Amino acid sequence: MSDGATLAEPRPAANPWLIAVLVALATFMEVLDTTIANVALPYIAGGMGVSQDESSWVVTTYLVSNAISLTASSYLAKRLGRKTFFLICLGLFTASSVLCGFAWNLDSLLFFRILQGLGGGGMVPVAQSILASSFPPAKRGQAFALFGVAVVVAPVVGPTLGGYLSDNASWHWCFLINGPVGVAAILLIALVLQEPAAATAELRKQQQSQGFDVIGFVLVATFLGALEMMLDRGLEDDWFDSRFIMVTAAVCAAAFIAMIPWEMSRKNPAVDVRMLASRQFGACFLVMLATGAILLGTTQMLPQMVQQDFGYTATWAGLVLSPGGLVTMVMMFVVGRLSGRVQPKYLIMTGATVVAFAMYDLTRVYADVGFWFFAESRMLIGIGLPLIFLSITTASYDGIPPERTDQASALINAARNTGGSIGVSLAANVLSHRGQFHQSRLVETAIPSNHAYQDTLHQMTSYFSAHGSSLAQAQQQAVAWIGQTVQLQSSLLAYVDVYWVLMLISLSAIPLALTLRKVKLGGGPSMAH
């Protein structure tokens, strides 16, 4: 490693594990807010007098601004210094979180969510860079395990915490809870984390001489923002039957087409897309896309299913995910140690196989399954995802020089966010279209000429009559019960199809992992050749 590269590496004076805990705590808050508002949307809609469709923008605006902020995080971290930039992001995130809790209407809430996403988007990639430069290579695997707990467990805790706060307090506390935690994190990080003045001066001098790729930033931000909006709003707006979706798709495509040659030709691009052309980093990027799709896809679908089809409250729907979160937390540290002994490609293949089996297990769902059926499936996911996530982080840094670690972090985290949006959108579309398909097929048999239908109608009429209803009322109740049963069965079959699709996405990571080269084992990613 050159002297210049060494100079650019901020080395902490404090215990690096204390830095890791504080950085992971801040990251946990940011990632938590990608899912904490999901179960609170009905409460937000009711409290502000808006439709469920309008309240969904609370999630969309955060994801869009988060993705846009990622594209500038590398430049700003170098221009301001990692510590300064991280504290600015954390301060903006904390302040806007509190403002979200005090929002007086939907417009103000959306504005504050945009600010929250802008602050949060810069935190995760810089947190990874701080960890990479705070630990020697032999201990980076364990440090990234702690970071991985924040990134993987937070989306699981989000629905649980959001459901509990919404059911027992108010949706406002989904945002206000970040206030005291954020203030404490800001004070402690400001005191503990140190960045040498020489390193800061060198980074500023380097970035000032190269300048910022404004056009590239605009193109990348436009592409990501349009893609996020299109994916999130597509199903509700009936995709390309909507003029808004068509215009958004056209803008997204135009920005992408213009972005590739522009960024490829820049000496100092806003996002170094040339890194994606390498076998190692490109494969890691694609695997992270799939991982994000699984993580957020299952986190969205499982609580939704148990609330919709099994009558769970928002709190209990969130609790379904909790055992898996505990397993994930333990597995992160286990994988942190395994990463020093086993090649990332083999850990990714094992994790993808376990997650695929968990998805297959969920395809066995039926109307009478209990709480632990869902919890045990989630625990299997909690075993598999850490094997994938931490191994991607380790492998993606292999061969990356120190001055490009911020770029690598931004791209990997953009893959996680974008993959999550794709996964949620794909799952929602499969659920909607397959639900209609299954309902139409089941209704074909629910006709008076069908003997099974007549037998069921007779049995249910007798049941309701025996419980005090008149014959006419009992017949109406029996028909209504059959209709509800058809809807429930079609919904369950549609969710089964969703889990089949997610299983295929999990399996797609296996051939991608085979393309990864062997890395130097030592507990963490290699920062240079």
Side-chain angles (χ1 to χ4, degrees), residues 201-495:
E202 176 69 19
L203 290 171
R204 287 182 178 177
K205 180 180 178 180
Q206 178 184 3
Q207 197 64 34
Q208 284 175 336
S209 64
Q210 294 176 339
F212 181 52
D213 179 20
V214 177
I215 295 178
F217 170 75
V218 171
L219 290 173
V220 174
T222 301
F223 164 66
L224 289 176
L227 179 63
E228 291 281 3
M229 284 192 290
M230 183 176 66
L231 290 173
D232 190 74
R233 301 290 300 181
L235 181 61
E236 296 177 7
D237 291 349
D238 201 18
W239 288 104
F240 294 102
D241 287 337
S242 164
R243 184 176 180 181
F244 172 79
I245 295 298
M246 291 184 65
V247 172
T248 305
V251 171
C252 179
F256 179 77
I257 293 172
M259 174 188 72
I260 298 300
W262 178 270
E263 295 293 83
M264 291 285 287
S265 62
R266 298 300 99 185
K267 183 179 180 181
N268 183 42
V271 172
D272 194 352
V273 295
R274 289 168 293 195
M275 296 174 68
L276 300 178
S278 68
R279 184 185 72 177
Q280 185 78 357
F281 191 85
C284 290
F285 184 88
L286 292 176
V287 173
M288 185 58 89
L289 277 175
T291 304
I294 296 295
L295 177 61
L296 292 184
T298 55
T299 304
Q300 177 94 354
M301 288 295 114
L302 195 55
Q304 180 178 308
M305 180 179 68
V306 296
Q307 284 180 283
Q308 176 181 318
D309 294 341
F310 293 87
Y312 285 36
T313 63
T315 301
W316 278 100
L319 287 173
V320 164
L321 306 180
S322 297
L326 295 175
V327 172
T328 299
M329 190 176 301
V330 174
M331 281 297 300
M332 276 295 180
F333 294 100
V334 173
V335 178
R337 292 191 173 275
L338 287 176
S339 63
R341 300 176 176 87
V342 184
Q343 286 294 326
K345 61 193 301 181
Y346 301 125
L347 294 178
I348 292 173
M349 292 168 62
T350 303
T353 302
V354 172
V355 172
F357 180 78
M359 294 296 98
Y360 171 76
D361 187 54
L362 283 171
T363 63
R364 302 185 300 109
V365 66
Y366 57 94
D368 293 331
V369 296
F371 176 89
W372 284 106
F373 172 84
F374 305 111
E376 288 170 1
S377 295
R378 191 69 195 188
M379 290 167 71
L380 276 176
I381 297 173
I383 294 173
L385 278 180
L387 289 165
I388 305 174
F389 179 83
L390 186 56
S391 302
I392 296 171
T393 307
T394 301
S396 63
Y397 275 86
D398 181 65
I400 301 295
E403 65 273 12
R404 300 176 72 188
T405 56
D406 290 332
Q407 282 276 2
S409 297
L411 282 170
I412 287 295
N413 284 281
R416 176 173 54 84
N417 280 0
T418 305
S421 297
I422 294 173
V424 171
S425 176
L426 179 61
N429 276 276
V430 172
L431 182 66
S432 176
H433 293 297
R434 295 298 293 178
Q436 294 174 4
F437 169 79
H438 289 301
Q439 185 169 354
S440 65
R441 296 302 302 269
L442 290 173
V443 167
E444 291 175 0
T445 62
I447 56 177
S449 60
N450 187 291
H451 291 295
Y453 173 81
Q454 289 294 337
D455 290 342
T456 303
L457 181 64
H458 176 72
Q459 292 175 7
M460 295 312 301
T461 300
S462 299
Y463 172 83
F464 289 118
S465 295
H467 285 75
S469 298
S470 66
L471 181 60
Q473 290 176 328
Q475 287 179 334
Q476 292 177 350
Q477 290 172 322
V479 171
W481 181 88
I482 292 174
Q484 292 173 353
T485 302
V486 168
Q487 290 181 344
L488 173 62
Q489 188 65 25
S490 61
S491 177
L492 288 176
L493 290 172
Y495 277 109

